[in-house]
Every structure is written in C-alpha cells, then in structure tokens.
C-alpha cells in the first residue's frame, strides 16, 4: 500500500486527484499507476484502470485471477467493473468514498447479481494517510 500512496503523491504533483494503485502477484508489484485523467485528457484514466491495463499487458491476458489490487480510495463503479472483469483475487483499498465509491458505499457493485466475479475486499488499509492526501488536495483548491 505504501507504493500506492507513492503513486498518489506523484499524481498530486501532476495536479491530478491523488489516487494511486498497484497490482501485485506472488508478492511482487507487476503494475503501478496514479490518476491521469487530466494529463491524458481521458475520463477513464483512473489509477485502477491504468494499472489493470498494464498488468494485463504484462501477462498477455485479460484475466488477473492470481493478482491483488491495492488502491488508496474505494473504487468507483467503472473501476469496480474492471476489477470484476479482470477477475482480481483480492481488493485492498484505503479511504471510503461515500460519494463516488461503489464497493462498500453507493451501489455496492460486488453485491449486485449482475456482478459475475467478487474479489475478497479489505477496506481501510492506510485509511488515514489516504484520507489526508485527498482532504489536503481538495482544501487547497477551494
């Protein structure tokens, strides 16, 4: 999770919302990313989406069944869908996102009968650090 926080800090330096993500397989980081929506002018360039794409490319497969994903903020609906489609084994996230989260907040995507794969979910990992990054980022812009 510390690497995901590093990715979030790097995203913040680019002026992006400070969210970072890593995909891990057998204890090794195989992909890492921070938000790039502004940099890439791409609304789908969330940290999770970029990291999942990089991991899939590294494996040469769209299935990441033996991989775990660490992200600093509870995933949105788009990212939760990508996690399910990639068949990520475990999801670890930092801060809850009461407005945009879709795992333990909002639509609770993985609990939906339309969801074909449900990863094991562990929230609150490095929650304080993740929350501080986000709160500071938005306070500075108000």
């Amino acid at each position: 999770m510390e690497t995901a926080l590093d990715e979030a800090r790097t995203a913040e330096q680019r002026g992006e919302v400070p969210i970072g993500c890593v995909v891990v397989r057998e204890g090794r980081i195989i992909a890492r990313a921070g938000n790039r929506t502004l940099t890439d002018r791409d609304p789908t360039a969330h940290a999770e989406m970029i990291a999942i794409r990089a991991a899939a490319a590294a494996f040469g497969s769209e299935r990441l069944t033996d991989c775990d994903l660490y992200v600093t903020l509870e995933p949105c609906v788009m990212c939760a869908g990508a996690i399910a489609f990639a068949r990520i084994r475990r999801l670890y996230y930092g801060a809850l996102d009461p407005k945009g989260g879709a795992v333990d907040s909002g639509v609770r995507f993985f609990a939906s009968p339309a969801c074909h794969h449900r990863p094991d979910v562990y929230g609150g990992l490095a929650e304080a650090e993740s929350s501080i990054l986000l709160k500071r980022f938005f306070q500075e812009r108000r």
Side-chain angles (χ1 to χ4, degrees):
M1 191 59 148
E2 189 57 43
T3 303
L5 286 163
D6 289 343
E7 288 293 325
R9 291 180 195 105
T10 300
E12 181 177 29
Q13 291 170 356
R14 290 192 307 271
E16 301 278 357
V17 176
I19 300 170
C21 179
V22 296
V23 177
V24 175
R25 180 179 186 218
E26 297 175 359
R28 290 186 23 219
I29 294 172
I30 59 166
R32 59 196 300 168
N35 267 12
R36 296 189 57 90
T37 58
L38 299 173
T39 304
D40 294 354
R41 300 202 187 309
D42 178 357
T44 69
H46 290 194
E48 302 96 305
M49 300 295 285
I50 297 167
I52 289 170
R53 287 178 191 137
F59 282 155
S61 174
E62 74 283 4
R63 302 280 190 230
L64 303 174
T65 55
D66 55 351
C67 294
D68 302 329
L69 188 141
Y70 294 76
V71 64
T72 57
L73 183 66
E74 177 185 3
C76 69
V77 174
M78 174 182 66
C79 294
I83 290 165
F85 282 118
R87 306 296 195 263
I88 296 287
R89 177 178 54 186
R90 292 183 200 106
L91 165 64
Y92 298 90
Y93 72 85
L96 272 173
D97 185 356
K99 287 184 178 180
V103 175
D104 290 320
S105 305
V107 301
R108 298 179 184 230
F109 181 80
F110 298 130
S112 167
C115 180
H116 300 293
H117 171 76
R118 293 164 184 82
D120 295 332
V121 176
Y122 304 92
L125 190 64
E127 182 176 14
E129 297 94 328
S130 299
S131 293
I132 289 167
L133 275 173
L134 288 159
K135 285 177 184 173
R136 185 184 68 226
F137 176 81
F138 287 111
Q139 283 173 348
E140 290 173 359
R141 277 150 183 78
R142 289 189 182 136

